[in-house]
């Protein structure tokens, strides 16, 4: 019986929800990490302020937003995050275990972009004892 494309770990086609929701979610998370310096400056500026933060910290918030927008609008960054997603999805399809959720249960939280692609080829299998 032939496999459906949703069962094939090597299938690289994307559904709309993956392209419009799941990959941008990875992009937002990665961009937030890459713009940590600007975000820290903004958060430090807001400390001890309430309404006045909108005026006092406008330069910092603009820097942070420009940094984030630079990543959100970059097609190469989208492709990079797409590859991360495809590797993670292939792992799930091969093993049936979501690496992020499995690690959360064990008390370890892994970022999806820290997941290494699965090794292909002649991986040694442990011998049964």
């Amino acid at each position: 019986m032939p496999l459906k494309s949703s069962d094939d770990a090597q299938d690289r086609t994307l559904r709309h929800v993956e392209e419009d929701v799941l990959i941008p979610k990875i992009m937002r998370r990665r961009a937030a990490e890459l713009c940590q310096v600007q975000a820290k400056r903004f958060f430090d500026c807001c400390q001890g302020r309430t309404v006045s933060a909108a005026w006092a910290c406008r330069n910092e918030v603009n820097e942070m937003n420009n940094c984030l927008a630079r990543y959100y609008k970059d097609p190469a960054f989208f492709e990079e995050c797409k590859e991360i997603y495809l590797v993670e999805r292939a792992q799930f399809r091969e093993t049936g275990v979501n690496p992020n959720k499995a690690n959360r249960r064990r008390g370890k939280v892994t970022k999806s972009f820290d997941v290494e692609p699965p090794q292909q080829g002649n991986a040694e299998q442990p011998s049964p004892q």
Side-chain angles (χ1 to χ4, degrees):
M1 180 155 115
L3 291 174
K4 297 185 295 186
S5 65
S6 63
D7 295 335
D8 183 15
Q10 302 307 316
D11 177 37
R12 296 184 58 82
T13 58
L14 292 171
R15 297 175 296 148
H16 288 290
V17 71
E18 292 170 320
E19 194 165 354
D20 298 339
V21 177
L22 299 176
I23 294 171
K25 182 178 177 183
I26 294 171
M27 290 176 70
R28 283 189 301 274
R29 191 170 52 228
R30 291 201 59 219
E33 285 194 0
L34 294 169
C35 295
Q36 275 182 341
V37 172
Q38 292 84 353
K40 181 162 178 20
R41 276 192 222 130
F42 172 63
F43 296 135
D44 289 345
C45 178
C46 289
Q47 290 295 319
R49 301 177 196 262
T50 55
V51 178
S52 67
W55 295 279
C57 302
R58 66 177 164 253
N59 289 336
E60 288 82 357
V61 76
N62 285 337
E63 285 180 26
M64 181 180 72
N65 287 337
N66 289 338
C67 180
L68 293 170
R70 184 173 61 242
Y71 288 109
Y72 295 158
K73 295 176 183 178
D74 183 7
F77 188 67
F78 177 84
E79 290 300 317
E80 188 179 318
C81 293
K82 178 177 150 183
E83 286 303 313
I84 290 166
Y85 175 77
L86 289 171
V87 166
E88 189 177 86
R89 184 181 75 178
Q91 263 186 322
F92 174 75
R93 286 181 176 176
E94 286 175 358
T95 63
V97 176
N98 183 334
N100 293 326
K101 289 185 180 177
N103 286 333
R104 256 186 242 134
R105 277 185 240 132
R106 291 186 207 121
K108 302 175 191 171
V109 177
T110 337
K111 299 172 191 136
S112 60
F113 47 90
D114 289 340
V115 175
E116 292 295 322
Q119 298 296 322
Q120 295 188 7
N122 297 339
E124 292 185 27
Q125 299 294 325
S127 60
Q129 295 177 356

